[in-house]
Amino acid sequence: VADPVSGGTDVTYDGAPHTVYIEGVDLSLMSVSSDSVLTYVNGRYELTMTDAGDYTITVTLNDSRNYAWASGGSDPFVFTWTVSQANNSWTAELEMSGWTYGESPAQPSAEAQFGEVVFTYYNADGDEITPDKLTEAGSYYVIAAVEGNENYTGLTARKDFVVEKADYDTTGIIWSNTTLVYNGNEQSPVADGLPVGLDGIALEYKVESAVNAGEYTLTVTFSTESTNYNVPASITVEFEITKLAVEIEWAEDNFTYDGTDQQDKVTATFEGVDGVHELVVTLISADEFKEANAEGYTFRAELSAEDAVNYQLPAEVTAVFHIATYEVDVSINPGGGVYGGTITPATVTITGA
């Protein structure tokens, strides 16, 4: 009996169907069998292969005792074709870009020759996370994987990406209390309108302070407890402490001539933030404050060099003081006597001189 003839070749899985066949089968003398579906087309038996594996068609002589193959023997012909497992590969490499906190997350992309690509996300510690957890700034990576099977091998690829920290919008910060009056304590301006991040954490600040009156350029440093925002660079703010206006308290104008220069007894003070301060008092209308003078003597009050830093006197800084005449009691004893007798002379007694 003529040997059956096979057609078709072994292939590597490519997802497409491949046809193999046998022909020269005389069903009156032979029988045909296969684990796969056989189709009789144009005088031959065809078998379609798609998935990886071994495919066989067996041709058996119906009467092996009385018939033999032309090639010799009577054992069944077993025709085998193989679809080998394919080595999978990326047709589009894994891509994943980062973004800035608060922006819409990027999406990974990758394509494989065979199979479905599944993306899995991990944080920097290697803990698997769901996509909705990709909201915090930090380092992450994504794994693209295709699970292998009998038809093709598996694939994995990794791509690191970063969710960058966002910047606070500091344009809305408004400074108040930039001009204050000296009070003896440390003082500083106040910032309003500090931005609050999308995570609900506000930007914080610390500003330098000053005590004495003057104009200052203060350094402002920022901080935040948020891990999603960058800390802004330090800035400066202009600040002024003005002098405290005070009133002069002059000593009482109650001086009486005593023959001495009394200008050191003329005093003036003011009430400072920490108590009473002495002013520097100078006689400016004469050399001495000694003689009684109805027009009086003019004195000027000035701040000490130390107090002049923080205090401001009123426009009028002079005062007029007087020396009253010294009053005495005069007692006259007229004296006298009897004619021819002893005469007592008259005397004058001045008390208080």
Side-chain angles (χ1 to χ4, degrees):
V1 177
D3 295 351
V5 178
S6 65
T9 60
D10 295 340
V11 295
T12 299
Y13 175 81
D14 61 5
H18 297 270
T19 300
V20 294
Y21 62 89
I22 60 170
E23 58 186 2
V25 175
D26 183 353
L27 291 179
S28 66
L29 299 174
M30 311 168 196
S31 61
V32 180
S33 63
S34 176
D35 291 335
S36 303
V37 176
L38 294 175
T39 303
Y40 187 74
V41 178
N42 297 325
R44 66 185 189 182
Y45 289 92
E46 295 183 351
L47 181 154
T48 301
M49 308 182 299
T50 301
D51 292 333
D54 292 328
Y55 295 81
T56 63
I57 300 177
T58 303
V59 180
T60 306
L61 288 170
N62 294 333
D63 185 357
S64 58
R65 287 183 297 178
N66 295 308
Y67 292 90
W69 299 114
S71 59
S74 58
D75 291 337
F77 270 101
V78 178
F79 299 95
T80 302
W81 297 268
T82 300
V83 178
S84 301
Q85 184 187 48
N87 289 319
N88 208 353
S89 62
W90 296 110
T91 58
E93 297 291 336
L94 173 61
E95 295 292 339
M96 180 65 172
S97 59
W99 62 91
T100 299
Y101 174 78
E103 296 179 346
S104 297
Q107 299 297 320
S109 63
E111 294 182 7
Q113 184 179 7
F114 305 111
E116 179 185 1
V117 181
V118 177
F119 300 103
T120 308
Y121 301 93
Y122 299 85
N123 61 22
D125 296 327
D127 301 321
E128 182 178 342
I129 57 175
T130 54
D132 61 297
K133 298 299 182 182
L134 295 172
T135 56
E136 304 296 314
S139 297
Y140 302 89
Y141 63 93
V142 60
I143 297 292
V146 176
E147 184 178 358
N149 57 28
E150 69 277 5
N151 291 324
Y152 48 80
T153 57
L155 291 174
T156 60
R158 168 174 168 161
K159 190 74 172 181
D160 293 77
F161 64 95
V162 175
V163 178
E164 301 288 353
K165 292 183 179 181
D167 293 324
Y168 280 109
D169 181 4
T170 58
T171 58
I173 296 178
I174 300 174
W175 290 95
S176 59
N177 292 349
T178 54
T179 301
L180 299 174
V181 179
Y182 172 76
N183 64 7
N185 300 316
E186 290 191 359
Q187 300 187 90
S188 58
V190 175
D192 297 310
L194 289 167
V196 178
L198 296 174
D199 53 8
I201 300 176
L203 181 65
E204 299 176 356
Y205 76 99
K206 183 177 182 181
V207 60
E208 294 178 321
S209 60
V211 176
N212 292 327
E215 295 181 351
Y216 299 89
T217 299
L218 303 180
T219 298
V220 182
T221 55
F222 295 101
S223 63
T224 181
E225 294 182 357
S226 173
T227 58
N228 294 312
Y229 285 86
N230 295 308
V231 176
S234 298
I235 62 172
T236 58
V237 60
E238 299 304 313
F239 179 59
E240 181 182 10
I241 297 178
T242 60
K243 295 180 179 182
L244 176 63
V246 294
E247 297 296 327
I248 301 174
E249 295 290 336
W250 288 98
E252 187 177 353
D253 185 11
N254 185 25
F255 294 92
T256 302
Y257 173 80
D258 65 0
T260 65
D261 185 355
Q262 301 183 68
Q263 62 180 293
D264 290 343
K265 298 179 181 178
V266 178
T267 61
T269 61
F270 70 90
E271 188 71 31
V273 297
D274 55 353
V276 176
H277 289 233
E278 294 285 340
L279 290 166
V280 178
V281 177
T282 305
L283 175 61
I284 60 174
S285 62
D287 293 331
E288 293 181 317
F289 183 51
K290 179 178 180 180
E291 305 295 337
N293 181 348
E295 295 180 356
Y297 297 81
T298 302
F299 288 81
R300 182 179 62 221
E302 297 175 293
L303 292 163
S304 68
E306 179 180 357
D307 286 338
V309 174
N310 295 312
Y311 295 97
Q312 177 69 52
L313 293 178
E316 180 56 63
V317 293
T318 62
V320 176
F321 286 80
H322 303 81
I323 292 181
T325 56
Y326 184 79
E327 294 183 0
V328 295
D329 293 328
V330 178
S331 176
I332 300 175
N333 182 359
V338 178
Y339 178 77
T342 301
I343 301 301
T344 302
T347 58
V348 176
T349 301
I350 300 174
T351 303

